[in-house]
Coordinates of all heavy atoms in Angstrom, one line a residue:
G3 N 159.1 94.8 47.7 CA 158.4 93.7 47.0 C 157.3 93.1 47.8 O 156.2 92.7 47.3
K10 N 149.9 88.6 39.4 CA 149.2 88.0 38.2 C 149.9 88.3 36.8 O 149.3 88.6 35.8 CB 147.8 88.6 38.1 CG 147.0 88.2 39.4 CD 145.5 88.7 39.3 CE 144.7 88.3 40.5 NZ 143.3 88.7 40.4
P20 N 149.1 94.0 44.9 CA 149.6 93.5 43.6 C 149.2 94.4 42.4 O 149.7 94.2 41.3 CB 149.0 92.1 43.4 CG 147.7 92.2 44.2 CD 148.0 93.1 45.4
A88 N 157.6 100.4 61.8 CA 159.0 100.0 61.8 C 159.2 98.6 62.4 O 158.3 98.1 63.2 CB 159.8 101.0 62.6
A93 N 167.0 91.2 68.2 CA 167.9 90.7 69.2 C 167.2 89.6 70.1 O 167.9 89.0 70.9 CB 168.3 91.9 70.1
S99 N 164.0 98.8 70.8 CA 164.8 99.1 69.6 C 164.1 100.4 68.9 O 162.9 100.5 68.9 CB 164.7 97.9 68.6 OG 165.3 98.3 67.4
P101 N 164.0 103.1 65.6 CA 162.8 104.0 65.9 C 161.5 103.3 66.3 O 160.5 104.0 66.6 CB 162.7 104.8 64.6 CG 163.1 103.9 63.5 CD 164.2 103.1 64.1
A102 N 161.5 101.9 66.2 CA 160.2 101.3 66.4 C 159.5 101.6 67.7 O 158.3 101.6 67.8 CB 160.4 99.8 66.3
Y104 N 159.4 104.3 69.5 CA 158.8 105.6 69.7 C 157.3 105.4 69.7 O 156.8 104.7 68.8 CB 159.3 106.6 68.7 CG 160.8 107.0 68.8 CD1 161.6 106.8 67.7 CD2 161.2 107.6 70.0 CE1 163.0 107.1 67.8 CE2 162.6 107.9 70.1 CZ 163.5 107.7 69.0 OH 164.8 108.0 69.1
N118 N 153.6 81.3 65.2 CA 154.3 81.3 66.4 C 155.3 82.5 66.4 O 155.8 82.8 65.3 CB 155.1 80.0 66.6 CG 154.3 78.8 66.7 OD1 153.3 78.9 67.4 ND2 154.6 77.7 66.0
G151 N 174.8 88.2 36.4 CA 175.2 87.3 37.4 C 175.5 88.0 38.8 O 175.9 87.3 39.7
C168 N 157.7 94.0 59.0 CA 157.3 95.4 58.9 C 156.6 95.8 57.6 O 155.5 96.4 57.6 CB 158.5 96.3 59.1 SG 158.3 98.0 58.8
V174 N 149.5 96.2 54.2 CA 148.1 96.1 54.6 C 147.5 97.4 54.9 O 146.3 97.7 54.5 CB 147.9 95.2 55.9 CG1 146.5 95.2 56.4 CG2 148.3 93.7 55.5
H189 N 143.1 106.6 62.3 CA 142.0 105.7 62.1 C 142.5 104.4 61.5 O 142.1 103.3 61.9 CB 140.9 106.2 61.2 CG 140.1 107.4 61.7 ND1 140.2 108.6 61.2 CD2 139.3 107.4 62.8 CE1 139.4 109.4 61.9 NE2 138.8 108.7 62.9
G211 N 151.9 91.9 70.6 CA 151.1 93.2 70.6 C 149.7 92.8 70.6 O 149.2 91.9 71.3
S249 N 128.8 95.7 77.1 CA 127.7 96.3 77.8 C 127.0 95.3 78.7 O 126.9 94.1 78.3 CB 126.7 96.8 76.7 OG 125.5 97.2 77.3
P252 N 121.2 94.3 78.3 CA 120.8 93.6 77.1 C 120.1 94.5 76.1 O 119.5 95.5 76.5 CB 119.9 92.5 77.6 CG 119.3 93.1 78.9 CD 120.5 93.9 79.5
P253 N 120.3 94.2 74.8 CA 119.7 95.1 73.8 C 118.1 94.9 73.8 O 117.6 93.8 74.3 CB 120.3 94.6 72.5 CG 120.7 93.2 72.8 CD 121.1 93.2 74.3
A313 N 158.9 90.4 95.8 CA 159.2 89.2 96.6 C 160.7 88.9 96.3 O 161.2 89.1 95.3 CB 158.3 88.0 96.1
F318 N 170.5 81.6 102.3 CA 170.4 80.2 102.4 C 171.7 79.6 102.9 O 172.6 79.3 102.2 CB 170.0 79.6 101.0 CG 168.9 80.3 100.4 CD1 169.0 81.0 99.2 CD2 167.6 80.1 100.9 CE1 167.9 81.6 98.6 CE2 166.5 80.7 100.3 CZ 166.6 81.5 99.2
T319 N 171.7 79.4 104.2 CA 173.0 79.2 104.9 C 173.4 77.6 105.0 O 174.5 77.3 105.4 CB 173.0 79.8 106.3 OG1 171.9 79.2 107.1 CG2 172.9 81.3 106.2
D322 N 172.9 71.2 101.3 CA 172.0 70.0 101.1 C 170.7 70.2 101.9 O 170.3 69.4 102.7 CB 172.7 68.8 101.6 CG 174.0 68.5 100.8 OD1 173.9 68.5 99.6 OD2 175.1 68.2 101.4
G377 N 153.9 85.3 83.1 CA 152.7 86.1 83.2 C 151.5 85.3 83.6 O 151.4 84.1 83.1
V379 N 147.3 85.1 83.6 CA 146.0 85.6 83.3 C 145.0 85.2 84.4 O 144.1 85.9 84.8 CB 145.5 85.2 81.9 CG1 144.1 85.7 81.6 CG2 146.4 85.8 80.8

Side-chain angles (χ1 to χ4, degrees):
K10 298 182 180 180
S99 176
Y104 293 121
N118 297 315
C168 173
V174 169
H189 291 114
S249 174
F318 306 114
T319 58
D322 298 311
V379 176

